[in-house]
Amino acid sequence: MPGTPTDLTRLRITLTAFFALDGFIFAGWVVRIPAIKEQTGASASTLGLALLGVSAGAVITMMLTGRLCHRYGNHQVTVVCAVLLSLSVSLPPLTHSPLTLGLVLLVFGAAYGGINVAFNSAAVDLVRAMRRPIMPSFHAAFSLGGMVGAGLGGLVAGFLTPTQHLFGLTVIGLLVTAVVGRELLRLQPPAPPTPLEDSPKQEPTPRRLNPRTRGLVFTFGLIALCTAFGEGALADWSALHLEQDLDATAGAAAIGYSCFALAMTAGRLTGTRLLERLGRTRTLVSGGTVAALGMLLGALAPTLWAAVLGFVITGLGLANLFPVAVERAGTLAGPDGVAIASTLGYGGMLLGPPAIGFMADWYSLPAALTSVAALAAVAAVIGFLTRHAAEN
């Protein structure tokens, strides 16, 4: 098993590439949602129901992915899901009704959920082996991929149809998987540190899922859910909010999510240093508070650029909450903890968009988006209440 610095570095680079690819493909899809909405003739609520297909496919798959990873390995499952994700992203623009859109999004969601559980589990193993809080760097790659994917989507929206654009993402995804996946399959997961190798700064050995540990894992999973709700909401509804409520062009609307993704990337690139300096509790509390204030501005601002500024502040606040929550759950309970927190977290990301859709029909889209601020504040409160578990 790889344990040398060179092996661990190669594995870190390879996993980083898959995180980036995941963000790139997902963002490429979300910036074309307004066009797909128009193509299918969906209302806000029916679009929300169709997007629920992503949630359903992902949650079902996440419940099974842990077993698949135990049987076949995190790396193998990551590669297979990357192929499925690349293929399925080309399907939404081929649909012409909310029902068929929802059905193909089941497939897309299954691939998306599977790859996220698989490479997060692999990343937690690597974090333990390297003995540094590097989890934010992987999620920075996801955010960077999302920024590039959204930016590219904004550039090509004016002259490429959704079918052409998303088929291009399929080609790119398959090419990257063919190159990077081969390297990942060659690398074995790192061996967990032995007790003799423990240092004072090393994370504690994961405990069994007794009732107290399970409760803590679910609590950190709840933090992940609250913060990922905001990521999913901004991914699927920020462009529509800027177009519909602030009269932005399609290109400008795509830039809004791109700026959010850029802020997430910047926050996560500095996440390791931030965690080493502030600790987990201060990172969670300050991040949730900043995100809540930023989202209030992003949802309620009367002008385009003020809303974009709110998205940027929200991105900085949310940046490290999800990585910290998943890392803590993995530290407490190993792979089982990762699976629980990831399922709750990505469930929040995928269930958020349809929830926003229903609230938008009942009230308005700006009012619906303030729910992101409310849940970010909840995450800050939970982070403070779990301060002793977070620092142990």
Side-chain angles (χ1 to χ4, degrees):
M1 292 185 178
T4 67
T6 300
D7 290 335
L8 296 178
T9 299
R10 288 168 58 201
L11 181 55
R12 182 179 182 180
I13 293 171
T14 303
L15 288 174
T16 298
F18 275 107
F19 273 86
L21 177 65
D22 186 44
F24 177 78
I25 290 177
F26 189 75
W29 143 246
V30 299
V31 299
R32 300 315 293 254
I33 285 177
I36 301 297
K37 178 179 182 293
E38 181 178 355
Q39 175 181 302
T40 58
S43 66
S45 59
T46 55
L47 178 62
L49 284 173
L51 294 173
L52 193 59
V54 181
S55 306
V59 170
I60 292 171
T61 305
M62 286 176 175
M63 294 169 63
L64 301 173
T65 301
R67 296 180 182 178
L68 293 175
C69 289
H70 280 297
R71 181 169 183 177
Y72 300 106
N74 297 332
H75 297 180
Q76 287 79 357
V77 175
T78 296
V79 173
V80 170
C81 289
V83 172
L84 294 176
L85 184 72
S86 300
L87 292 173
S88 61
V89 75
S90 64
L91 299 178
L94 303 180
T95 64
H96 297 281
S97 72
L99 175 60
T100 54
L101 177 62
L103 292 175
V104 301
L105 289 179
L106 278 170
V107 180
F108 181 71
Y112 182 75
I115 193 172
N116 276 282
V117 171
F119 62 35
N120 268 298
S121 296
V124 168
D125 289 343
L126 185 59
V127 168
R128 291 186 61 217
M130 297 188 73
R131 302 186 180 90
R132 289 193 67 209
I134 61 170
M135 197 69 171
S137 69
F138 293 114
H139 291 262
F142 174 87
S143 298
L144 179 60
M147 182 194 70
V148 174
L152 179 63
L155 290 175
V156 305
F159 58 90
L160 286 184
T161 67
T163 301
Q164 294 168 332
H165 175 201
L166 298 186
F167 179 75
L169 296 185
T170 293
V171 174
I172 293 172
L174 292 176
L175 289 175
V176 171
T177 302
V179 175
V180 184
R182 183 179 304 176
E183 177 69 11
L184 183 62
L185 293 176
R186 290 174 179 171
L187 294 170
Q188 296 297 317
T194 64
L196 293 177
E197 294 174 324
D198 288 349
S199 66
K201 295 184 179 181
Q202 186 175 336
E203 296 290 348
T205 301
R207 300 192 289 268
R208 291 184 178 182
L209 276 178
N210 56 51
R212 181 179 181 277
T213 302
R214 184 180 294 274
L216 286 172
V217 167
F218 272 97
T219 300
F220 286 116
L222 185 59
I223 294 176
L225 185 152
C226 290
T227 57
F229 181 99
E231 292 187 53
L234 282 168
D236 282 11
W237 292 102
S238 62
L240 193 61
H241 169 55
L242 296 181
E243 280 191 44
Q244 174 181 290
D245 301 312
L246 299 178
D247 298 321
T249 64
I255 289 173
Y257 178 70
S258 182
C259 289
F260 169 77
L262 176 61
M264 292 279 288
T265 303
R268 287 172 169 173
L269 285 173
T270 59
T272 297
R273 183 173 299 177
L274 187 70
L275 284 167
E276 291 174 337
R277 178 169 298 182
L278 298 183
R280 295 179 180 87
T281 295
R282 291 181 182 177
T283 299
L284 290 172
V285 174
S286 61
T289 303
V290 168
L293 295 175
M295 197 59 226
L296 287 176
L297 176 62
L300 304 177
T303 64
L304 170 66
W305 296 113
V308 172
L309 175 61
F311 293 165
V312 170
I313 296 171
T314 303
L316 290 172
L318 292 179
N320 295 302
L321 304 191
F322 187 94
V324 170
V326 171
E327 180 191 354
R328 289 306 299 161
T331 298
L332 286 168
D336 290 334
V338 175
I340 291 171
S342 295
T343 300
L344 287 171
Y346 284 103
M349 176 180 286
L350 298 168
L351 289 172
I356 294 291
F358 285 114
M359 287 187 284
D361 266 3
W362 294 335
Y363 305 104
S364 68
L365 184 53
L369 288 173
T370 61
S371 63
V372 174
L375 288 180
V378 170
V381 171
I382 295 174
F384 177 76
L385 294 177
T386 58
R387 58 192 179 277
H388 299 300
E391 298 301 333
N392 289 337

